[in-house]
Amino acid sequence: MAHILLRHRDIPGIEKLDVYQKNGGFQAFEQAVKKMKPTEVTDVVKASGLRGRGGAGFPTGVKWGFMDNNNWPHYVVANADESEPGTFKDREIMEGNPFQFLEGVAIASYAVGANLAYVYLRGEFWQVAAFLDQKIEEMEQAGFLGDKLFGSDYSLRIHTHLGAGAYICGEETALLESIEGKRGQPRLRPPFPPSFGLYGKPTVVNNVETLTNVPLILENGSDWYKSLGTADSAGVKVFSLSGRVKKPGNYELPFGTTFRELIYTHGGGIINDRPVKGIMAAGASSSIIVADEKALDTPMDYASVRTLGGDLGSASVIVLDDTVGIDWVVNKTIHFFKHESCGKCTPCREGNYWMQHLTERIHSGQGDASDVELLDSVARQMQGKCLCALGEFATMAVVTGIERFPTDFGK
Amino acid sequence: MSLAEKYPQEIQKIFAKYPPEQKRSAVMPLLHLAQREEGYVDRHAMQEIAALVDIAETEVASIVGFYTLYHDEPAGKLRFQVCTDLPCALRGAEQFLADLCAKLGIEPGGTTPDGLVTVEPVMCLAACNKAPVFQIQGPDGIEYHENMTVEKTLELVEALKKSSA
Amino acid sequence: MTDVTLTIDNKETTVPAGTLIVNAAKQIGIDIPVFCYHPKMEPVGMCRMCLVEVGRPIIDRNTGQPVLEDGKPKIQFGPKLETACTTPVSEGMVVRGLSEKAKAGQNEIVEFLLTSHPLDCPVCDKGGECPLQNLTMDFGPGKSRFLYDEKFHLEKRVPLGDLIVLDRERCIQCARCIRFQDEIAGEPVIGFYNRGRATDIVTYTDPGFDSVFSGNTTDICPVGALTTADFRFGARAWELKSTASVCGQCPVGCNIVFNTRREAKSDGRIVIKRVMPRQNEQVNEIWLCDKGRFAYHYTESESRLSKPLVKKAGKLEETTWDEAVAIAGGKLQSAGGEVVVLASGRLSNEDLFNLKSLADGLGGKSLLYTHMGGGDLTARFGVGAGTNFGEMGAGTTILVVASDLYNEAPIWHLRVKGAAKRGATVIVANARATKLEAFARYVVRYAYGDEVETINGLTQKDNIGEAITSAENLVVLFGSDGLGLGGSSALAAACAGLVQGRAGKPNNGLIGVWPRANDQGAWEIGFRPASDLTAELKGKTVYVAAADPAGDDPQLAAALKEASFVIAQELFLTETAKLADVVLPAQAYTERDGSFTSGERRAQRFYAAVPAFGETKADFAIIAMLADAANIELADSAEQVFENLGVTVPAFAGLTYEKLAETVEQWPVVGRGDLYYGGTTYENTQGLGAHLVGGAERGETASRPQVQKETALRPGSPYGDFAGQVLRPKEDQWLVVPVSKLYDQGLTVRSSKLLENHIGAATVTLHPEAAKRLGAGAGDMVEVTLDGTTAQAAVALDETVSASVALLPRSMGLPVSGPAVAGLKKV
Ligand SMILES: Cc1cc2nc3c(=O)[nH]c(=O)nc-3n(C[C@H](O)[C@H](O)[C@H](O)COP(=O)(O)O)c2cc1C
Ligand code: SF4
Ligand code: FES
């Protein structure tokens, strides 16, 4: 099947404006501005069943519908922070198929009445930002951005904003703080961005991949999109496959593809043909799924992955084989979260610091059973108390690792 | 020389991105600009940026302190930031870092005697399928180097040495 | 706003919708533990200490009515605990703060906090009044599961400035201090550095922590991370006694507490260990400026006068009270109508009333020692009873003229800023930039000398005129920036014109930003400044109390030398005292009872906190002794004097000490057992003071004097202090104008060691271009020649000062009381 998001793999040169246009580029945006009311655009997206690809899987059209129309101006922010260990799909989309992404931003902006949109990129994506800046300029010159677009009254500008090394800025409210020139620390929610977002104004924050779906949904209709994927999870997804597989990479597949197909058919199987031991389906924030036959045959959609005691999240599938100790994995993830905890709330700030001491001790063989118990207890003690989801994420591998791979912890 | 004298156009461009009453938004891009030459932000730059965006210097410093790509102290001219996070570590990144440092004769986090290269481990760079991977943070911004080997990296260091000499 | 009814720990309560759970609980006496929450600041929900179980009625989707169970609404509890500090109440809500689940949550947060905490309570200044300590006892686990050896170690003594010290280990990252500086003080001079567990407080100002409100952060810090250089390792909280008082440093009249103890270190004397704010929501809320907090050390100076002195053979010698009183009293009696009493607003209402009664009894004059006029007008058109900056917001206009509130009355600066944040229209009119401008809606910049014209023209301006004339409430604060007695009197009259019709109403009227704490009281009691003080003193029997004219101005020193007899009543051997024939040692106000009248015309009591120094006596008592010697009977107890004052002076009618000691419940509730809610500020149990009755309220009809600028400057005019000419500096000359700075060399500041660095040297502030003309840059020394005297000062630069103007700070050793023409020369 032809790609929907990773179209550069089928159409060489689609990162060039003329090639993109030749392949139907910007028609969806033009048609929307010329022929559709903003709410009609939102309705199509709602009907398509598109859910956010940033991790939480929230229905995109519904989110757009939440924008507070008594408070203006509105903003759209594309979340290109992509900092979850194991996630590398947004970068490929932006580098390979930039115009489709930017068109998605433009359509979303039109749908919610925003005249200004930002693309927030993690600071490491310096080159990607420069590349996008160039693409944005080309769009301006071609009349796809600027004032009075397509002869209408609608105007739109898109700018990039570079972060500077902080995973927490992927969290949408921390991201907004960061654009405002502040420390990237999450805000209290509620209020949510559609009522109180950038500069205190209603704002839609969507993931890059989410937005990149939009032009084709408008072009081909919501039914077409819904016919792909599963009832619970419409459409296609870019799965970032990494870890102990022979061919790591991004694979765009319909929701509902099994882990087995992803790992063996697309990923070429495990390095040295070892048995697969565990799967982290949502990057470092994941529960660790025991990779038994049943799990391998589970379709990858939001609901099914949940039945395995995991989450699909942003579908960053990290594969662990039998050479990998789960105590080591857990130590790794805790180093990450301790490094990235913003420090705003107590349980995450202190809990990760504490857990790091424990995982370090356990992994280096200096811990004993009571340390494992304490680690488990500290992780559970953090749960349900943190201000944002990062603190919760940090506990996932710990709690499920100890529970599901007890022998790796000397039990 | 002040930033305003050095980069008048860039600064203008930065401010043009944000609503005029939201000057503060420019603080992050201005900090990136300030790091261009020396690779870190000194007190002068912080003061100037504070004045440019109309906030207190302490607030600027507070942002420098929060984000890991801003530095308040000089290091090597080029920072080789090697991802050793979980997915890369599953593909040998930790060994790569250790070997590279050994060859360069420095500890992770250390700088080569000529002051050119600092090698430091960093968290995931979103290139997990292309491990070992590092980025070079230097005067011209940030550049990715993917699917690297120690040999290729050492060649790169040699080439950089020559071009900077 | 609608009210909602909810249940918290089985108690039902009804509060306005939007109230946060933590506050609703507080109002019915339930203390939900908090660290980051503070009732004066926006909730941030960071520390997660206030976790409670929250249940809400299940609503039937079809009917919109609550689903019932056993006749009662069925309540559904969320799976997660919620933060009481960020969650607003809703109808039918059920909050459980004491349930097993909630308590476990709170316990777990305390455990997290303690993992990084050094547990050094035995040597911590906060010990005994520490929210973390208290909450650990009440809610925490008894035992740590964290390995002590793995604790994070950080620097324990990090001076953020010279007044505030940070202990990095103790900080729990609640950001109260940072938020206070940002939200309340408007000076974000401290901030977080790094992130995660490495989060750390830093300042990047020079000097460090550059804010006059810094001390407040130590009150609201819920641990011992921030301490004052003054109190650090000074005493344990539980050894301290507290005495209610009022700050004597400026006309705001902040309510304070003196914490004292008897200590070996001070030779077994009872000494003041620290000054703490005492809540008065109408005056200072729960805040203090650093001057009020740290300058009190002048009262303990070893160089204070301890015994009466008399001049014998041209030399002052120690004597007994009997002899001093006999000599001075006899002299007063014989001088009769030739007596001139000269006193300042540093004295209390009681002192001033006795002095005035004495002068009246002798047929002499009572003069107020000040450079600022207009108190007769504030007495008549002052703000009405019930005035509260805390209630001002949209609909209120606040005009601040010729005053740098940040330096002259810092807490008013803070409160005006707060009103602006709530929507009040703040207009700042001054000849130079001041800090308040950052929060003003309108800024009016005039040239020095154009004050009156500017004010008279304000109502003609479009937006500003509208903001003044159609404001629901209008408060005008005027000061003496760049002005002397004549100029400020004229300005006061112009300002009175703006509020004339509003006088007597709460949140309306005129406020003088006086140089001293009780200037307003002095005016009310009948003291008036002299337009030509030198003339008044020559040849007279002068009784000077709490003023140092000879030290301030060589011309006044000369005049005093020509007086026939001088009695000086003082704390220190000032230049004036050195010239005196009799010197009477007075008690500091920390050693005696009394009251001050604030600029808002609120009479407030202070109480003796420490025993008297040496043989000193209270001013009012000394005056009564002299009066007695002169055969005039005056009361000699503070309470009795105040009663007489209430009978004699109409503005004080009906006021008694009892009345001043009345309190009402204030919101937020602070200072009780739960120090974690409001901080270590004291609850006000000793009195909120009482408002004087204004002239307009008493039906006085006299209108304000019509003062034109020209009259003000005309020779012989009661307002003319420009010696009959409009000041027009010639080439090579400068118009020097006096300005006030917070930390000056005034008697009540300079002997506080802590503040030495803040006082610094005298400066002269010039426009950068003007400084260039002198060939001087910032910090260079210049010589100022003024009325024949010369002095040196360091150049400071300010772009908002006009070209031929030089600003000289008052009380920095340079004799400037009003605008003058002077020569400047680079040294
Ligand atoms: C700690 C944390 C990190 C996150 N990082 C990202 C990210 O890198 N990219 C992203 O799109 N969403 C990220 N999210 C999710 C965003 O908060 C937000 O839900 C998302 O951008 C919404 O877009 P969507 O509806 O299109 O998924 C993160 C959330 C959390 C709590
Ligand atoms: S959970 Fe962690 S990242 Fe989120 S607010 Fe708390 S400290 Fe910050
Ligand atoms: S989170 Fe409620 S008091 Fe800190």
Side-chain angles (χ1 to χ4, degrees):
Chain A
M1 210 182 86
H3 288 90
I4 290 172
L5 301 159
L6 307 179
R7 278 208 288 161
H8 51 285
R9 295 194 181 176
D10 309 328
I11 309 170
I14 197 165
E15 78 282 0
K16 300 202 183 79
L17 190 68
D18 54 340
V19 179
Y20 182 63
Q21 271 183 279
K22 246 179 243 149
N23 285 279
F26 294 115
Q27 280 175 20
F29 182 41
E30 179 166 355
Q31 293 308 310
V33 173
K34 281 183 166 164
K35 305 229 169 93
M36 294 168 83
K37 286 201 206 113
T39 47
E40 289 170 352
V41 178
T42 303
D43 287 343
V44 174
V45 174
K46 255 185 215 169
S48 74
L50 176 65
R51 292 171 63 169
R53 307 296 195 236
F58 193 84
T60 306
V62 176
K63 187 189 276 186
W64 296 3
F66 285 155
M67 290 289 272
D68 178 356
N69 283 324
N70 297 315
N71 191 358
W72 296 88
H74 290 179
Y75 295 102
V76 164
V77 175
N79 188 343
D81 191 61
E82 188 152 65
S83 302
E84 178 71 46
T87 315
F88 44 87
K89 63 193 176 69
D90 296 340
R91 182 173 151 226
E92 180 174 348
I93 292 172
M94 290 186 288
E95 285 177 340
N97 193 7
F99 288 116
Q100 189 176 327
F101 159 57
L102 291 169
E103 186 178 359
V105 175
I107 295 171
S109 301
Y110 177 72
V112 302
N115 303 112
L116 194 51
Y118 291 97
V119 181
Y120 184 97
L121 300 111
R122 59 180 297 179
E124 292 81 353
F125 286 176
W126 183 287
Q127 290 167 307
V128 186
F131 181 67
L132 284 186
D133 283 343
Q134 194 190 317
K135 298 292 146 189
I136 289 168
E137 209 175 303
E138 287 172 26
M139 280 172 71
E140 282 169 358
Q141 273 158 14
F144 297 128
L145 288 174
D147 290 330
K148 304 210 181 281
L149 296 171
F150 313 114
S152 75
D153 275 345
Y154 183 66
S155 68
L156 175 66
R157 284 187 171 70
I158 303 178
H159 299 293
T160 57
H161 182 103
L162 264 186
Y167 165 67
I168 187 60
C169 288
E171 196 282 336
E172 56 187 11
T173 60
L175 182 156
L176 297 174
E177 290 282 296
S178 187
I179 301 185
E180 291 182 6
K182 301 177 183 149
R183 292 163 65 84
Q185 293 189 315
R187 299 174 181 169
L188 285 173
R189 301 186 308 169
F192 293 91
S195 47
F196 187 94
L198 184 60
Y199 309 128
K201 297 296 172 186
T203 303
V204 154
V205 183
N206 271 132
N207 172 256
V208 170
E209 183 186 351
T210 313
L211 292 164
T212 308
N213 279 294
V214 172
L216 294 201
I217 291 176
L218 245 61
E219 202 172 301
N220 301 322
S222 48
D223 288 341
W224 161 79
Y225 196 74
K226 240 174 141 164
S227 71
L228 309 165
T230 68
D232 151 70
S233 313
V236 295
K237 178 82 193 75
V238 180
F239 294 88
S240 294
L241 180 64
S242 69
R244 305 288 300 162
V245 288
K246 287 180 183 158
K247 291 196 298 178
N250 285 317
Y251 298 100
E252 179 185 314
L253 303 165
F255 277 108
T257 307
T258 63
F259 282 112
R260 193 185 299 280
E261 186 184 333
L262 176 68
I263 294 171
Y264 289 95
T265 312
H266 302 286
I270 305 296
I271 295 175
N272 296 333
D273 296 319
R274 310 285 314 184
V276 41
K277 175 174 177 182
I279 296 171
M280 300 176 80
S285 307
S286 305
S287 302
I288 310 176
I289 296 168
V290 180
D292 53 18
E293 298 302 312
K294 178 176 152 257
L296 287 172
D297 286 323
T298 301
M300 295 185 290
D301 59 57
Y302 294 113
S304 307
V305 176
R306 212 157 289 145
T307 64
L308 296 175
D311 252 309
L312 188 57
S314 53
S316 344
V317 181
I318 305 176
V319 177
L320 312 172
D321 65 8
D322 70 342
T323 64
V324 179
I326 302 300
D327 57 331
W328 175 84
V329 172
V330 164
N331 190 31
K332 266 307 203 193
T333 61
I334 292 307
H335 269 77
F336 174 77
F337 287 110
K338 191 227 150 211
H339 188 262
E340 299 300 335
S341 167
C342 82
K344 185 167 181 173
C345 74
T346 306
C348 172
R349 180 183 68 237
E350 305 296 337
N352 278 310
Y353 175 70
W354 193 353
M355 289 201 294
Q356 190 189 334
H357 280 295
L358 293 165
T359 58
E360 193 65 52
R361 217 185 304 153
I362 293 164
H363 170 62
S364 67
Q366 263 141 16
D368 56 25
S370 70
D371 286 317
V372 176
E373 246 164 70
L374 184 54
L375 174 62
D376 185 57
S377 155
V378 171
R380 288 178 196 276
Q381 186 164 322
M382 287 170 66
Q383 292 180 336
K385 295 197 187 68
C386 298
L387 187 136
C388 85
L390 187 149
E392 205 81 19
F393 290 167
T395 68
M396 302 311 288
V398 174
V399 171
T400 55
I402 295 174
E403 182 184 294
R404 298 174 191 172
F405 301 88
T407 50
D408 289 38
F409 291 88
K411 286 200 181 178
Chain B
M1 224 166 50
S2 72
L3 296 173
E5 285 162 340
K6 252 190 270 181
Y7 305 110
Q9 267 130 30
E10 282 92 338
I11 292 176
Q12 210 180 354
K13 255 183 148 167
I14 288 171
F15 278 109
K17 285 185 173 188
Y18 309 99
E21 67 283 6
Q22 305 294 349
K23 274 205 263 179
R24 183 177 179 147
S25 280
V27 68
M28 291 186 65
L30 288 172
L31 284 169
H32 281 303
L33 195 65
Q35 282 201 158
R36 268 199 198 170
E37 253 139 82
E38 302 298 331
Y40 74 106
V41 198
D42 63 12
R43 286 292 297 267
H44 278 298
M46 287 192 210
Q47 277 156 12
E48 192 189 347
I49 291 172
L52 281 171
V53 304
D54 206 8
I55 58 177
E57 191 192 347
T58 304
E59 292 174 293
V60 176
S62 186
I63 293 159
V64 172
F66 185 85
Y67 296 95
T68 55
L69 285 177
Y70 298 134
H71 310 284
D72 58 2
E73 274 180 1
K77 187 170 166 205
L78 303 169
R79 291 172 188 262
F80 282 47
Q81 298 167 333
V82 182
C83 174
T84 55
D85 215 339
L86 176 64
C88 279
L90 285 168
R91 309 187 70 80
E94 289 174 320
Q95 197 57 51
F96 170 82
L97 174 71
D99 294 348
L100 177 62
C101 286
K103 287 275 194 226
L104 290 172
I106 55 176
E107 292 290 311
T111 304
T112 52
D114 58 1
L116 185 67
V117 174
T118 299
V119 180
E120 51 197 4
V122 292
M123 298 301 165
C124 181
L125 293 176
C128 324
N129 54 332
K130 294 176 180 161
V133 52
F134 58 83
Q135 63 181 7
I136 302 178
Q137 189 182 16
D140 306 318
I142 294 170
E143 194 180 275
Y144 272 52
H145 293 266
E146 299 169 321
N147 294 320
M148 293 303 278
T149 59
V150 174
E151 291 69 42
K152 273 205 282 185
T153 311
L154 292 173
E155 279 164 30
L156 178 66
V157 171
E158 281 312 310
L160 288 167
K161 261 189 192 155
K162 279 203 193 101
S163 67
S164 80
Chain C
M1 202 180 266
T2 52
D3 283 350
V4 300
T5 298
L6 73 159
T7 311
I8 307 174
D9 288 338
N10 300 320
K11 275 199 206 172
E12 199 177 271
T13 178
T14 302
V15 293
T19 306
L20 298 167
I21 293 175
V22 63
N23 291 334
K26 186 81 198 171
Q27 284 168 28
I28 50 171
I30 297 172
D31 292 333
I32 295 175
V34 297
F35 284 117
C36 67
Y37 181 71
H38 189 284
K40 290 278 182 191
M41 296 188 276
E42 293 296 318
V44 286
M46 294 164 63
C47 76
R48 319 304 286 175
M49 183 62 207
C50 60
L51 295 172
V52 291
E53 271 192 277
V54 179
R56 296 174 177 86
I58 301 171
I59 304 293
D60 186 317
R61 287 209 186 183
N62 299 318
T63 64
Q65 293 301 308
V67 177
L68 298 183
E69 192 183 53
D70 303 332
K72 283 200 215 127
K74 195 170 167 192
I75 304 294
Q76 180 163 39
F77 282 85
K80 286 188 186 178
L81 296 170
E82 296 181 37
T83 44
C85 77
T86 63
T87 311
V89 297
S90 60
E91 186 60 41
M93 182 183 265
V94 176
V95 177
R96 294 186 196 144
L98 299 171
S99 66
E100 282 307 306
K101 189 172 169 188
K103 293 212 108 168
Q106 294 156 5
N107 176 300
E108 288 164 4
I109 295 295
V110 171
E111 183 181 30
F112 277 134
L113 283 172
L114 293 181
T115 55
S116 299
H117 195 78
L119 308 175
D120 56 348
C121 310
V123 295
C124 178
D125 294 305
K126 205 79 172 190
E129 55 180 16
C130 173
L132 181 60
Q133 196 179 37
N134 295 356
L135 288 177
T136 301
M137 304 306 276
D138 290 352
F139 299 90
K143 211 168 150 271
S144 174
R145 298 184 294 165
F146 188 86
L147 275 191
Y148 193 84
D149 291 346
E150 288 181 351
K151 262 194 205 299
F152 211 56
H153 284 297
L154 288 167
E155 265 177 292
K156 295 195 70 69
R157 189 179 180 285
V158 183
L160 289 180
D162 54 359
L163 298 175
I164 307 294
V165 184
L166 166 69
D167 182 317
R168 293 215 148 118
E169 279 184 350
R170 292 183 190 150
C171 172
I172 59 165
Q173 286 82 20
C174 69
R176 272 186 176 189
C177 54
I178 293 171
R179 287 149 55 213
F180 168 83
Q181 285 299 137
D182 184 21
E183 281 177 41
I184 296 183
E187 298 189 300
V189 295
I190 52 173
F192 276 142
Y193 205 72
N194 292 330
R195 68 184 187 210
R197 188 59 204 88
T199 304
D200 196 6
I201 294 166
V202 292
T203 177
Y204 272 69
T205 54
D206 186 16
F209 205 158
D210 191 12
S211 167
V212 305
F213 301 109
S214 67
N216 296 302
T217 60
T218 64
D219 296 334
I220 57 175
C221 175
V223 294
L226 294 179
T227 49
T228 66
D230 197 18
F231 188 64
R232 200 175 137 82
F233 296 133
R236 308 316 307 262
W238 57 86
E239 310 166 334
L240 300 172
K241 256 193 67 196
S242 350
T243 306
S245 193
V246 175
C247 177
Q249 293 287 349
C250 89
V252 176
C254 292
N255 291 203
I256 59 174
V257 158
F258 283 116
N259 276 151
T260 57
R261 76 164 183 188
R262 182 186 293 285
E263 62 180 19
K265 200 168 85 179
S266 307
D267 302 328
R269 275 183 293 128
I270 295 175
V271 293
I272 298 172
K273 297 308 294 179
R274 63 176 181 182
V275 172
M276 296 294 279
R278 181 167 58 109
Q279 185 181 30
N280 191 332
E281 287 300 317
Q282 300 198 29
V283 179
N284 54 308
E285 304 176 42
I286 57 173
W287 315 122
L288 283 186
C289 80
D290 290 351
K291 187 182 184 182
R293 195 181 292 263
F294 300 121
Y296 72 91
H297 287 287
Y298 79 90
T299 61
E300 316 172 321
S301 166
E302 284 302 320
S303 57
R304 269 186 52 195
L305 289 168
S306 66
K307 285 200 166 106
L309 310 172
V310 287
K311 195 160 270 172
K312 289 183 180 156
K315 268 186 73 186
L316 284 171
E317 284 176 16
E318 284 186 0
T319 182
T320 61
W321 272 108
D322 285 348
E323 190 188 12
V325 168
I327 298 174
K331 197 72 198 174
L332 288 175
Q333 191 179 20
S334 61
E338 290 295 286
V339 168
V340 173
V341 164
L342 181 63
S344 85
R346 191 161 26 99
L347 294 179
S348 75
N349 293 320
E350 294 74 8
D351 308 332
L352 290 162
F353 178 71
N354 263 5
L355 256 186
K356 178 83 172 43
S357 307
L358 172 64
D360 289 352
L362 294 167
K365 280 191 181 171
S366 351
L367 299 181
L368 181 61
Y369 183 68
T370 183
H371 69 262
M372 176 170 164
D376 45 345
L377 297 172
T378 50
R380 212 174 317 140
F381 305 111
V383 287
T387 291
N388 182 355
F389 279 110
E391 282 165 9
M392 297 179 201
T396 299
T397 295
I398 304 173
L399 169 64
V400 181
V401 192
S403 176
D404 175 3
L405 285 185
Y406 184 86
N407 275 292
E408 296 171 30
I411 293 295
W412 279 345
H413 167 93
L414 191 135
R415 304 201 80 211
V416 170
K417 174 197 165 283
K421 198 171 170 187
R422 288 186 298 272
T425 303
V426 172
I427 307 168
V428 174
N430 206 329
R432 62 184 175 109
T434 60
K435 285 205 175 175
L436 191 61
E437 283 179 6
F439 311 102
R441 178 114 20 113
Y442 305 110
V443 172
V444 180
R445 183 89 73 237
Y446 53 73
Y448 282 110
D450 288 349
E451 291 81 3
V452 170
E453 248 174 13
T454 305
I455 298 309
N456 285 341
L458 281 185
T459 50
Q460 267 87 275
K461 294 194 175 212
D462 283 354
N463 295 331
I464 295 178
E466 170 78 11
I468 290 174
T469 46
S470 49
E472 204 176 303
N473 299 309
L474 174 67
V475 175
V476 180
L477 295 114
F478 71 98
S480 55
D481 193 88
L483 296 170
L485 188 55
S488 55
S489 304
L491 174 64
C495 291
L498 297 176
V499 297
Q500 204 168 3
R502 303 167 174 266
K505 287 204 313 188
N507 298 334
N508 280 282
L510 194 59
I511 297 177
V513 188
W514 308 114
R516 295 184 183 83
N518 200 30
D519 280 332
Q520 185 64 40
W523 284 92
E524 304 276 355
I525 289 164
F527 278 80
R528 292 291 177 271
S531 56
D532 185 355
L533 189 54
T534 11
E536 297 283 355
L537 301 179
K538 283 181 192 162
K540 299 285 166 54
T541 293
V542 184
Y543 182 1
V544 195
D548 182 19
D552 292 342
D553 187 343
Q555 293 192 9
L556 290 171
L560 275 178
K561 280 183 195 147
E562 289 176 43
S564 76
F565 194 83
V566 177
I567 305 165
Q569 186 167 307
E570 248 313 348
L571 297 173
F572 293 93
L573 190 65
T574 57
E575 292 306 311
T576 304
K578 285 179 194 161
L579 291 177
D581 299 285
V582 179
V583 178
L584 306 168
Q587 286 173 357
Y589 88 109
T590 52
E591 297 160 3
R592 41 156 295 194
D593 289 356
S595 67
F596 290 140
T597 304
S598 76
E600 291 175 84
R601 305 184 70 247
R602 176 182 289 270
Q604 305 188 105
R605 277 213 62 182
F606 56 81
Y607 300 80
V610 290
F613 181 76
E615 292 177 21
T616 58
K617 290 185 189 299
D619 289 275
F620 61 83
I622 302 173
I623 298 158
M625 284 161 68
L626 297 194
D628 190 46
N631 274 327
I632 296 170
E633 200 185 325
L634 293 178
D636 65 356
S637 89
E639 181 158 16
Q640 187 60 50
V641 179
F642 194 79
E643 231 182 278
N644 296 349
L645 173 60
V647 173
T648 318
V649 179
F652 287 83
L655 300 187
T656 59
Y657 271 5
E658 262 169 29
K659 180 116 199 193
L660 303 194
E662 281 171 12
T663 56
V664 293
E665 168 102 347
Q666 302 189 75
W667 180 259
V669 176
V670 299
R672 299 189 186 159
D674 60 321
L675 291 170
Y676 46 84
Y677 183 72
T680 42
T681 207
Y682 277 75
E683 184 184 1
N684 197 326
T685 55
Q686 301 90 341
L688 298 169
H691 218 273
L692 306 197
V693 189
E697 293 155 89
R698 292 193 310 270
E700 277 183 21
T701 51
S703 62
R704 72 184 171 108
Q706 290 296 322
V707 185
Q708 302 299 321
K709 186 182 162 216
E710 296 76 55
T711 4
L713 302 176
R714 196 172 302 142
S717 134
Y719 299 102
D721 63 347
F722 296 158
Q725 86 240 22
V726 179
L727 293 175
R728 291 244 159 61
K730 298 195 210 66
E731 223 176 306
D732 301 336
Q733 283 189 331
W734 299 73
L735 175 66
V736 295
V737 295
V739 295
S740 302
K741 70 184 235 149
L742 186 68
Y743 301 116
D744 60 18
Q745 290 174 358
L747 200 66
T748 56
V749 187
R750 67 170 174 237
S751 23
S752 175
K753 278 256 174 303
L754 267 179
L755 297 174
E756 257 168 21
N757 290 338
H758 295 258
I759 296 170
T763 52
V764 51
T765 306
L766 306 170
H767 190 278
E769 289 303 318
K772 259 189 216 158
R773 267 195 304 165
L774 286 177
D780 289 346
M781 296 302 285
V782 292
E783 193 174 78
V784 187
T785 310
L786 231 183
D787 275 347
T789 56
T790 61
Q792 294 204 346
V795 171
L797 302 177
D798 180 346
E799 300 205 341
T800 65
V801 172
S802 53
S804 58
V805 169
L807 309 181
L808 282 190
R810 291 186 168 97
S811 293
M812 288 296 289
L814 303 162
V816 272
S817 60
V821 170
L824 296 188
K825 202 170 80 203
K826 187 171 176 229
V827 181

